[in-house]
Amino acid sequence: MKSSLAILYIATGKYIIFWKDFFESSEKYLLNAEGFEKHYFIFTDALQIEHENNPRVHKIYQEPLPWPYITLDRFTIFQKARKELEKMDFIYFFNANMLIVKPIGKEILPNRDKPIVMVQHPGFFNKKRKEYTYETNPRSRAYVPDNIGKYYFMGGLNGGLAKDYLEMVDELRKRVEEDKKNGIIAVWHDESHLNRYAVDYPDKIKILDPSYGYPEGWNLPFDPKIIIRDKNKYGGHNYLRGITTSRTSKLKEVILRLFK
């Protein structure tokens, strides 16, 4: 019997432009030799998507939340597929603008001793602890004191054994909601909470190097297996998020009011 792998993918608004290439790269390169049955759970507001007739592609409606909530609330968004995810053996989340460019095998998989998989952030893998951009507000559930924290992980790719991954998602959802009730948004949103989780449970984490999250156009000492596509080639962050200049200014005003 084949092992099952759930791939979580959020693509609202203009981010849907990345879906076709991501799906086809995953089908070509991800865990094929291991014989996995891959199921894609795509959270989107698009009326139609490429490959939606594939029985392993599960389209789930997700309204395009304003920035930063589409990323901050992803642990809540995943709950929409909860019953299906509980039936899976493994679960992985991929950012929309990721593209798999080389074969990936069982080295990406977790194990019983280390059931959660995280990727070292490509911008911090060779930096000192004091340069990590952990959350510094002691009132936040994502807060990491100066004297702890060994690695800084990217938020764009993580996964694990299904049971353990869902336990992490549940815990981080609660932490995010607690912060929101207190008028707090962690500095790097879901990524900040993910890093606090790694600090809390270091023995659970299997660490992948930045070859699994290699920014397009960078020059790093790794052979890229998964690249992070340059959003500037597709209109940039604000365009993809549907944020105009005026909306960006209003968003800044709202965030500043929250932190007064």
Side-chain angles (χ1 to χ4, degrees):
M1 183 175 178
K2 289 184 177 181
S3 294
S4 56
L5 175 73
I7 295 171
L8 307 177
Y9 189 90
I10 300 174
T12 59
K14 295 180 176 65
Y15 274 93
I16 197 63
I17 64 174
F18 295 114
W19 160 248
K20 179 178 183 292
D21 289 346
F22 169 78
F23 173 82
E24 292 176 2
S25 73
S26 174
E27 289 291 278
K28 182 176 181 180
Y29 289 123
L30 183 61
L31 291 164
N32 289 336
E34 284 69 23
F36 272 73
E37 182 173 279
K38 291 175 281 192
H39 285 261
Y40 300 83
F41 295 85
I42 174 168
F43 303 87
T44 184
D45 59 327
L47 296 178
Q48 290 184 310
I49 63 172
E50 298 282 349
H51 304 291
E52 66 178 25
N53 292 324
N54 186 312
R56 293 181 290 105
V57 173
H58 312 279
K59 189 172 71 169
I60 301 163
Y61 179 75
Q62 174 58 48
E63 62 179 323
L65 301 175
W67 180 259
Y69 296 101
I70 194 62
T71 179
L72 179 68
D73 289 348
R74 67 179 42 157
F75 305 119
T76 296
I77 291 171
F78 296 157
Q79 301 295 334
K80 293 183 176 183
R82 182 69 187 225
K83 290 183 179 179
E84 293 84 355
L85 296 177
E86 288 176 348
K87 301 173 185 176
M88 298 289 157
D89 296 311
F90 300 89
I91 302 173
Y92 279 78
F93 166 73
F94 286 83
N95 255 6
N97 63 322
M98 288 191 143
L99 187 72
I100 304 171
V101 294
K102 290 189 178 175
I104 295 175
K106 61 183 180 180
E107 72 277 1
I108 198 175
L109 296 175
N111 53 56
R112 293 295 173 189
D113 293 330
K114 293 187 179 295
I116 298 294
V117 176
M118 295 187 188
V119 180
Q120 282 186 278
H121 196 295
F124 297 97
F125 78 94
N126 60 346
K127 298 291 194 299
K128 295 181 180 179
R129 163 62 183 83
K130 64 181 180 180
E131 298 177 85
Y132 293 172
T133 54
Y134 288 136
E135 174 56 57
T136 59
N137 181 357
R139 295 179 58 234
S140 172
R141 290 300 310 276
Y143 170 62
V144 178
D146 290 341
N147 61 331
I148 60 175
K150 187 175 181 181
Y151 300 98
Y152 189 84
F153 298 102
M154 63 182 291
L157 172 56
N158 48 77
L161 296 174
K163 178 177 178 295
D164 298 271
Y165 189 80
L166 290 173
E167 287 176 357
M168 180 183 76
V169 165
D170 290 343
E171 175 62 26
L172 295 185
R173 177 174 179 258
K174 291 176 183 176
R175 296 184 187 189
V176 169
E177 291 304 312
E178 186 176 330
D179 267 12
K180 287 163 67 176
K181 287 178 182 178
N182 292 321
I184 298 168
I185 296 178
V187 60
W188 290 114
H189 320 124
D190 56 294
E191 184 174 274
S192 296
H193 286 278
L194 195 75
N195 273 280
R196 176 69 225 201
Y197 189 88
V199 168
D200 290 338
Y201 303 103
D203 293 341
K204 287 187 176 183
I205 312 301
K206 177 176 179 177
I207 301 171
L208 300 180
D209 66 48
S211 63
Y212 295 88
Y214 192 109
E216 185 178 3
W218 284 30
N219 183 20
L220 301 175
F222 300 97
D223 184 22
K225 295 180 179 178
I226 301 174
I227 63 170
I228 304 170
R229 301 174 82 176
D230 185 354
K231 293 180 184 178
N232 289 324
K233 294 182 177 180
Y234 302 89
H237 291 274
N238 287 347
Y239 172 77
L240 290 166
R241 294 168 185 160
I243 300 175
T244 62
T245 302
S246 60
R247 281 188 62 199
T248 302
S249 298
K250 289 179 181 178
L251 179 62
K252 289 179 179 177
E253 290 176 10
V254 170
I255 293 174
L256 286 172
R257 284 199 298 271
L258 282 173
F259 286 91
K260 278 185 177 180

